[in-house]
Amino acid sequence: CIWVQCGVDPIFDFEISGASLHLDGKLVIEFYDFEYYLFDVQQDTLIPTTSLICEDCGYIWKVGNMAYDTVNNRFVVVFQEGRIQMYYLDWATSPTPVVSKEIVIARGIKRNWQSVYTTEFDPLGRYLAIVRGKKLEILEIKEKTARKKIEKNVNNVTDLMFDQTGNLLFIASEDKI
C-alpha cells in the first residue's frame, strides 16, 4: 500500500493536486498545478523531470490529471486547458527511469480552464479516456499522435476504468456505474 499525503510544496508553496501510481507499483507521480515529480518506489529516489512551463509559447499550462501506459512506458499530462503532453520513460539506461522524449498530442486553448476529473489508459495502451468538464473523450493513442474516437456529454463522473481487453469502459458517477 502506498500513501501520498496531499499538502503544500515547500519550495513553491503550491497545493498538491494529486498523485498517480504506476500499475506495477514501481513509480508514483505527485502533481501540482504547474509541476510534477516522479518518485521511484523501489530505488527510493526522486527522478528529475521536465518542466511543465511552455517556454516557447509564453504560457504556463495548469495540470488537470495524469495517466500511465505501462505497456509502452509512457504517461500523459492532461492540462485543464485541454492540452495533452505525452512523456516516454527510458528504464534501460539506469535503474531509475528517465524522461526520454516529450510529445504534444493535443494543443489546448489558453485560459480555457475546465476540471479534469479522471484520466485512464486502457490496459493495452491503445486508448486514453479523459473526463474534462462535462465531456468524456476517448482518444486512440499512437506513438506520436492521438485521434478522437468518441466524445460524449457526461455528468458527475468520478472515475473511469477499462476492462482487461480495453474494449469496455466502466464509467462511475456519484450514484451509478
Side-chain angles (χ1 to χ4, degrees), residues 71-90:
V71 172
N72 298 296
N73 288 320
R74 61 189 177 185
F75 65 95
V76 293
V77 179
V78 180
F79 294 91
Q80 291 184 15
E81 299 90 337
R83 184 181 183 93
I84 303 172
Q85 289 178 201
M86 188 162 49
Y87 299 86
Y88 282 85
L89 296 173
D90 180 1

Side-chain angles (χ1 to χ4, degrees), residues 51-119:
S51 170
L52 296 176
I53 298 171
C54 181
E55 295 181 14
D56 63 333
C57 62
Y59 182 77
I60 300 174
W61 302 93
K62 191 170 182 180
V63 176
N65 216 314
M66 304 177 91
Y68 287 105
D69 171 9
T70 56
V71 172
N72 298 296
N73 288 320
R74 61 189 177 185
F75 65 95
V76 293
V77 179
V78 180
F79 294 91
Q80 291 184 15
E81 299 90 337
R83 184 181 183 93
I84 303 172
Q85 289 178 201
M86 188 162 49
Y87 299 86
Y88 282 85
L89 296 173
D90 180 1
W91 293 81
T93 58
S94 71
T96 58
V98 177
V99 174
S100 62
K101 66 179 167 180
E102 169 189 339
I103 299 163
V104 176
I105 58 174
R107 305 225 37 80
I109 300 170
K110 294 177 185 177
R111 289 177 281 288
N112 182 17
W113 298 287
Q114 294 182 44
S115 294
V116 181
Y117 296 105
T118 185
T119 304

Side-chain angles (χ1 to χ4, degrees), residues 32-173:
Y32 301 78
D33 286 347
F34 306 106
E35 64 183 342
Y36 70 91
Y37 297 102
L38 296 174
F39 183 76
D40 185 330
V41 176
Q42 292 180 329
Q43 301 292 323
D44 193 23
T45 306
L46 194 64
I47 301 162
T49 57
T50 308
S51 170
L52 296 176
I53 298 171
C54 181
E55 295 181 14
D56 63 333
C57 62
Y59 182 77
I60 300 174
W61 302 93
K62 191 170 182 180
V63 176
N65 216 314
M66 304 177 91
Y68 287 105
D69 171 9
T70 56
V71 172
N72 298 296
N73 288 320
R74 61 189 177 185
F75 65 95
V76 293
V77 179
V78 180
F79 294 91
Q80 291 184 15
E81 299 90 337
R83 184 181 183 93
I84 303 172
Q85 289 178 201
M86 188 162 49
Y87 299 86
Y88 282 85
L89 296 173
D90 180 1
W91 293 81
T93 58
S94 71
T96 58
V98 177
V99 174
S100 62
K101 66 179 167 180
E102 169 189 339
I103 299 163
V104 176
I105 58 174
R107 305 225 37 80
I109 300 170
K110 294 177 185 177
R111 289 177 281 288
N112 182 17
W113 298 287
Q114 294 182 44
S115 294
V116 181
Y117 296 105
T118 185
T119 304
E120 184 77 31
F121 271 104
D122 81 289
L124 304 175
R126 299 171 302 172
Y127 303 110
L128 176 67
I130 300 166
V131 176
R132 180 175 165 263
K134 294 188 178 212
K135 295 259 188 228
L136 164 67
E137 290 183 66
I138 299 176
L139 306 173
E140 182 178 25
I141 304 293
K142 301 290 186 183
E143 186 177 337
K144 297 180 181 180
T145 62
R147 185 173 64 109
K148 194 179 296 186
K149 297 288 281 183
I150 296 172
E151 182 176 280
K152 297 275 185 196
N153 289 326
V154 293
N155 287 315
N156 304 321
V157 172
T158 57
D159 206 1
L160 299 170
M161 188 172 96
F162 283 95
D163 74 338
Q164 292 178 340
T165 68
N167 294 323
L168 184 62
L169 177 65
F170 296 94
I171 302 170
S173 67

